[in-house]
Amino acid sequence: MTNLAQSPVWFTDRDEDQALSLRYTGDILFDETSDFQRVRVIDTYRYGKALLIDEMFMCTEQDEFHYHEMIVHPGMLAYPDIKHVLVIGGGDGGTVRELIKHPQIETITMVEIDQTVVEASRQHLPHIAQALNHPKLNLIIGDGITYVAQGEDQTYDLVIIDGSDPVGPSKGLFSAEFYGHCDRILKPKGLLITQAESPSFHRETFVELNQCLKGIFGPSQVKILLFPIPTYPSGLWSFQVAVKGGIDLVNPDRAIVETFTAKEKLQYYNYEIHQAAFALPNYVKTMVKE
Amino acid sequence: MTNLAQSPVWFTDRDEDQALSLRYTGDILFDETSDFQRVRVIDTYRYGKALLIDEMFMCTEQDEFHYHEMIVHPGMLAYPDIKHVLVIGGGDGGTVRELIKHPQIETITMVEIDQTVVEASRQHLPHIAQALNHPKLNLIIGDGITYVAQGEDQTYDLVIIDGSDPVGPSKGLFSAEFYGHCDRILKPKGLLITQAESPSFHRETFVELNQCLKGIFGPSQVKILLFPIPTYPSGLWSFQVAVKGGIDLVNPDRAIVETFTAKEKLQYYNYEIHQAAFALPNYVKTMVKE
């Protein structure tokens, strides 16, 4: 597949020492600067349309399935009694799209700070945003940190923190106060799943978050999930999961998982992947003292 | 860690649509063009020294452990009777370094086509090249394809194909004729492990190799191993393993694996990772019809 006749324009997501560049058509399909950040959509040759926040890739059509399947299905299938879900962030809609696949869910409350992210996704990433009008969803544009701080005790079975890197509006999503409130608004058997960055690229944030969650939920109640995603720095990403009750996160009911995976035609997640995602490399075990 | 006062020079490994760039000191520590390829060593800020072949990252000091631990230990620990090993490629020395950690190995024959790769690694990557003078190693500079074609029947317990992408001198490492000879020179219980590219980035090569190996060794005798590596395209890489005998690749003796892993202070591999590496995402299962 030779694209040499196509556009020579590249978008680069870089930190000081490392950069990933994707070639795109040259057209900016969406470009608005909100109170919080600049939001753009471009059309890349390798990964389809990409949502950009400031100078970073947020998600692409071709590889978002890794992230959105893994932020939802391991938790939902380990604890099938989940009925009431709170999502903080998740403005592109991918997390809600995956949640909707579990019919036992009765309500999803999603609190996204930036209406512009929702608009960009609705207009240009309809496959990702497809469930943002679902009748089970109560979409609130507002500050998730305040929402959680003001939330009633023991309200949710599952809280998902689907925020971006701990800069700008997402900074407060990486604090002990915030996770203390998450613990409080979760029901006694509730589950928390949070975006936890790359264990090799964001070592400090990854470890601090792990220590924070262990301090609140207890050391044995926190697990790390790893999965690949090509357009994020290092290509290896993580979620951290905290359980309040005695749920066995690693060993769900195999038959239920396999029926679900086949029915929903998932691209990444399956029973073996569920268990494999909890296996930690030695360097990660050392970082989190496990 | 702010490096803004440091060098503004970047090295970029790109294909048509995607590129990874690493900032380095600006000095080229080694630069020789052999009969086969251009071989360079640079010193990057994030990953330490990097070996470059033509315009590609071949390995870096900071992330090579993923690759070299995974090309050796899953096979060695699934089949601890391995005594005679053949390595095709592997000029940087990382594979031999990991093999040497298994004391039951009696001989290692390594056939690397390009002396320049060995020299670059010996001079600038001593941690990777450290075992290249080991008394158990017979290092041959020559064509691995010819060597395998002329090899005696049933000579090796393990053959490792540690080559680069299927262009230039490595092209013949991805052919049915080559793997037919590998089968022939393996002992009746022998094991083959081969570098198999990225399942998402090199789909065609990955699938063709899988079909080729299944045709030679039998469909049930071929397994895929996945692992992350930040400086290769997509960040997710694979080896394919073919077994001639009835070895259970996925479930090694747990006590042996744990003793070995602890003793050798491995950075990536352990018992859980061994099993997890064989878990395939749905999109990979579909590609290889499993």
Side-chain angles (χ1 to χ4, degrees):
Chain A
M1 196 171 68
T2 303
N3 286 325
L4 294 176
Q6 296 176 321
S7 157
V9 186
W10 297 72
F11 182 84
T12 296
D13 176 342
R14 82 178 71 204
D15 87 325
E16 287 163 16
D17 296 327
Q18 179 173 330
L20 176 70
S21 306
L22 297 183
R23 203 155 65 88
Y24 71 103
T25 60
D27 300 324
I28 312 285
L29 306 178
F30 183 99
D31 188 357
E32 287 186 21
T33 299
S34 70
D35 290 346
F36 306 101
Q37 53 212 352
R38 183 175 183 188
V39 180
R40 283 176 286 183
V41 177
I42 59 174
D43 195 0
T44 72
Y45 290 112
R46 182 170 295 277
Y47 292 102
K49 287 182 192 149
L51 177 69
L52 313 175
I53 291 191
D54 294 331
E55 304 302 317
M56 290 179 292
F57 294 112
M58 266 312 104
C59 64
T60 80
E61 287 181 318
Q62 295 300 315
D63 78 349
E64 55 87 17
F65 67 86
H66 300 89
Y67 182 100
H68 291 123
E69 291 184 10
M70 292 303 281
I71 202 171
V72 167
H73 303 313
M76 286 302 305
L77 288 157
Y79 181 29
D81 294 339
I82 291 167
K83 291 189 169 47
H84 301 287
V85 182
L86 174 65
V87 179
I88 303 299
D92 57 59
T95 297
V96 172
R97 180 194 64 198
E98 296 304 315
L99 284 168
I100 288 301
K101 294 176 179 171
H102 298 272
Q104 71 273 32
I105 292 179
E106 295 174 7
T107 68
I108 303 169
T109 305
M110 183 170 126
V111 186
E112 162 62 50
I113 202 163
D114 195 346
Q115 171 76 31
T116 314
V117 174
V118 175
E119 279 310 309
S121 194
R122 277 193 163 130
Q123 288 177 33
H124 295 286
L125 302 164
H127 177 67
I128 304 177
Q130 61 182 271
L132 285 176
N133 293 323
H134 197 279
K136 287 183 180 176
L137 175 65
N138 176 23
L139 172 53
I140 297 166
I141 301 298
D143 180 1
I145 296 162
T146 307
Y147 191 89
V148 165
Q150 295 175 351
E152 283 183 33
D153 292 3
Q154 302 191 10
T155 305
Y156 302 101
D157 302 295
L158 171 62
V159 173
I160 295 179
I161 315 303
D162 182 12
S164 47
D165 293 347
V167 291
S170 291
K171 200 170 177 185
L173 302 179
F174 290 78
S175 79
E177 189 183 351
F178 175 71
Y179 287 108
H181 284 297
C182 289
D183 179 25
R184 184 180 58 72
I185 65 174
L186 276 169
K187 292 188 179 180
K189 280 188 72 178
L191 207 66
L192 173 83
I193 302 174
T194 183
Q195 192 280 102
E197 306 287 289
S198 162
S200 67
F201 199 81
H202 309 93
R203 287 178 179 244
E204 207 175 316
T205 304
F206 178 85
V207 170
E208 280 175 12
L209 183 58
N210 187 257
Q211 288 168 346
C212 172
L213 293 177
K214 284 177 176 168
I216 291 166
F217 292 88
S220 64
Q221 301 299 100
V222 178
K223 298 272 183 209
I224 293 161
L225 273 172
L226 299 177
F227 61 99
I229 183 156
T231 58
Y232 284 179
S234 85
L236 181 69
W237 217 252
S238 74
F239 297 122
Q240 295 194 30
V241 189
V243 294
K244 293 184 74 171
I247 296 155
D248 182 351
L249 277 175
V250 184
N251 301 294
D253 184 302
R254 183 165 192 154
I256 291 175
V257 173
E258 290 184 345
T259 302
F260 177 82
T261 305
K263 177 171 171 286
E264 297 297 341
K265 297 186 174 52
L266 301 181
Q267 290 181 264
Y268 183 71
Y269 175 86
N270 58 45
Y271 182 76
E272 298 85 2
I273 287 289
H274 182 118
Q275 297 196 311
F278 291 99
L280 302 183
N282 293 330
Y283 82 89
V284 177
K285 287 188 182 188
T286 302
M287 283 163 62
V288 297
K289 300 187 171 65
E290 281 178 15
Chain B
M1 197 171 63
T2 303
N3 286 324
L4 295 177
Q6 295 175 320
S7 156
V9 186
W10 297 72
F11 181 85
T12 296
D13 175 342
R14 83 178 71 203
D15 87 326
E16 288 163 16
D17 296 328
Q18 179 171 331
L20 176 70
S21 306
L22 296 182
R23 204 155 64 88
Y24 71 103
T25 60
D27 300 323
I28 312 286
L29 306 178
F30 184 99
D31 188 358
E32 287 186 23
T33 299
S34 70
D35 290 345
F36 307 101
Q37 52 212 353
R38 185 175 181 187
V39 179
R40 283 175 287 182
V41 177
I42 60 175
D43 195 0
T44 73
Y45 289 111
R46 182 169 295 277
Y47 292 102
K49 288 182 193 148
L51 178 68
L52 313 175
I53 291 190
D54 295 330
E55 303 304 316
M56 290 180 291
F57 294 112
M58 265 312 105
C59 64
T60 79
E61 287 181 319
Q62 295 300 315
D63 78 349
E64 54 89 16
F65 66 86
H66 300 89
Y67 182 101
H68 291 122
E69 290 185 10
M70 291 303 281
I71 201 170
V72 167
H73 303 313
M76 286 301 306
L77 287 157
Y79 181 29
D81 294 339
I82 291 168
K83 291 188 168 49
H84 301 287
V85 181
L86 174 66
V87 179
I88 302 298
D92 56 61
T95 296
V96 171
R97 180 194 65 198
E98 297 304 314
L99 284 167
I100 288 302
K101 294 176 179 172
H102 297 273
Q104 72 272 32
I105 291 178
E106 294 174 8
T107 67
I108 303 168
T109 304
M110 182 170 126
V111 186
E112 163 61 51
I113 201 164
D114 195 345
Q115 171 76 31
T116 314
V117 174
V118 175
E119 278 311 309
S121 193
R122 276 193 164 128
Q123 288 177 33
H124 296 285
L125 303 163
H127 177 68
I128 304 177
Q130 61 182 271
L132 285 176
N133 293 322
H134 197 280
K136 286 182 182 176
L137 175 66
N138 176 24
L139 172 53
I140 297 166
I141 302 299
D143 180 1
I145 296 162
T146 307
Y147 191 89
V148 165
Q150 295 174 350
E152 282 183 34
D153 292 3
Q154 301 191 10
T155 305
Y156 302 100
D157 301 295
L158 171 63
V159 173
I160 295 179
I161 314 302
D162 182 11
S164 47
D165 294 346
V167 289
S170 290
K171 200 170 179 185
L173 301 180
F174 289 79
S175 77
E177 188 183 353
F178 175 71
Y179 287 109
H181 283 298
C182 289
D183 179 25
R184 183 179 58 74
I185 66 175
L186 276 169
K187 292 188 180 181
K189 279 188 71 178
L191 208 67
L192 172 84
I193 302 173
T194 182
Q195 194 280 102
E197 308 284 291
S198 161
S200 67
F201 198 80
H202 308 93
R203 287 179 178 241
E204 206 175 317
T205 304
F206 178 85
V207 170
E208 280 175 12
L209 184 58
N210 187 258
Q211 288 169 345
C212 171
L213 294 176
K214 283 177 175 168
I216 292 167
F217 291 89
S220 64
Q221 300 299 100
V222 178
K223 298 272 184 208
I224 293 161
L225 274 172
L226 299 177
F227 61 98
I229 182 154
T231 58
Y232 284 179
S234 87
L236 181 69
W237 217 251
S238 75
F239 296 124
Q240 295 194 30
V241 190
V243 295
K244 294 184 71 172
I247 296 154
D248 181 351
L249 277 174
V250 182
N251 302 292
D253 185 303
R254 183 165 190 152
I256 291 175
V257 172
E258 290 184 344
T259 303
F260 177 82
T261 305
K263 177 172 171 285
E264 296 297 341
K265 298 186 173 52
L266 301 181
Q267 290 180 265
Y268 184 71
Y269 175 87
N270 58 45
Y271 181 76
E272 297 87 2
I273 288 288
H274 182 118
Q275 297 197 311
F278 291 99
L280 301 184
N282 293 330
Y283 81 87
V284 177
K285 286 189 183 189
T286 302
M287 284 162 62
V288 297
K289 302 186 170 66
E290 279 179 14

